[in-house]
Amino acid sequence: MKTALFPGSFDPVTNGHIDVIQRACLLFDKIIVTVAINSDKHTLFDIEERKELLSEVCKDIPKVKVASFEGLLIDAMKTFKTVAVIRGLRAISDFEYEFQMAMMNRTLCQDCETVFLMPAPEYSFLSSRMIKEIAMFNGDISHFVPPVVAKALKGKNLGTNLC
Ligand code: ADP
């Protein structure tokens, strides 16, 4: 049984994240999607809202379990007994930070492998931040997020809350 950890802010989950989750399901027996609890990072959706949205959009993907964690990724890997970390790679701009993080995690724990997955091209320019910006100006985000996420974004006062 090989379990992988897919950590992130997911503020909110987008179709790009879902694409990566589906690809990871083809490689692993179980995926723990973990919402990072980071008190320094101001988010639009609180931790419970982000977990609820993820649970809702992943409810038909049996291999996925949604959780949260605070602290070092390598500790979360031990807690959830995972063999690898999944991260999405969009453009080259993602690479430098992701490479640093993967190498640092491997230095802290030599068993920590990171698997990078590229999304379908239509999601390769998509970020949670961009979705929030488009939603703030009432743009059409229906191609980029599941309906439940679009609805949740409408319920937020994005003019004052955008982060
Ligand atoms: P973080 O703050 O940890 O980067 P995000 O929620 O922004 O959290 O992203 C979580 C993971 O999903 C990261 O590996 C990120 O590169 C990846 N990701 C985000 N958006 C996309 C996308 N459109 N396509 C593929 N991977 C993505």
Side-chain angles (χ1 to χ4, degrees), residues 6-21 23 34 36 38 41 50 85-91 94 97-98 101 114-129 144:
F6 182 32
S9 307
F10 304 105
D11 185 41
V13 56
T14 70
N15 290 344
H17 295 126
I18 297 167
D19 183 287
V20 169
I21 290 169
R23 287 170 201 281
T34 44
N38 182 351
K41 203 166 175 178
R50 285 180 279 153
V85 173
I86 303 289
R87 293 290 288 176
L89 262 194
R90 285 160 291 191
D94 276 343
Y97 171 73
E98 294 293 346
M101 199 163 78
T114 304
V115 173
F116 294 110
L117 296 173
M118 277 79 74
E122 62 265 35
Y123 304 132
S124 60
F125 299 99
L126 183 55
S127 68
S128 300
R129 159 123 218 139
F144 308 123

Side-chain angles (χ1 to χ4, degrees), residues 77-129:
M77 285 188 77
K78 283 176 198 146
T79 304
F80 295 109
K81 298 186 173 48
T82 58
V83 296
V85 173
I86 303 289
R87 293 290 288 176
L89 262 194
R90 285 160 291 191
I92 285 288
S93 51
D94 276 343
F95 181 77
E96 194 163 345
Y97 171 73
E98 294 293 346
F99 180 77
Q100 272 183 356
M101 199 163 78
M103 295 311 277
M104 180 53 81
N105 284 328
R106 193 193 271 167
T107 305
L108 293 173
C109 172
Q110 64 180 20
D111 296 335
C112 180
E113 288 299 345
T114 304
V115 173
F116 294 110
L117 296 173
M118 277 79 74
E122 62 265 35
Y123 304 132
S124 60
F125 299 99
L126 183 55
S127 68
S128 300
R129 159 123 218 139

Side-chain angles (χ1 to χ4, degrees), residues 12-13 53 131 135 141-142 145-156:
V13 56
L53 288 173
I131 291 305
I141 51 169
S142 58
V145 293
V148 66
V149 175
K151 192 171 165 213
L153 278 162
K154 278 209 180 95
K156 291 276 176 188

Side-chain angles (χ1 to χ4, degrees), residues 48-60:
E48 287 309 319
E49 291 173 319
R50 285 180 279 153
K51 277 173 69 178
E52 269 166 34
L53 288 173
L54 271 165
S55 300
E56 178 62 26
V57 303
C58 294
K59 67 175 192 289
D60 295 326

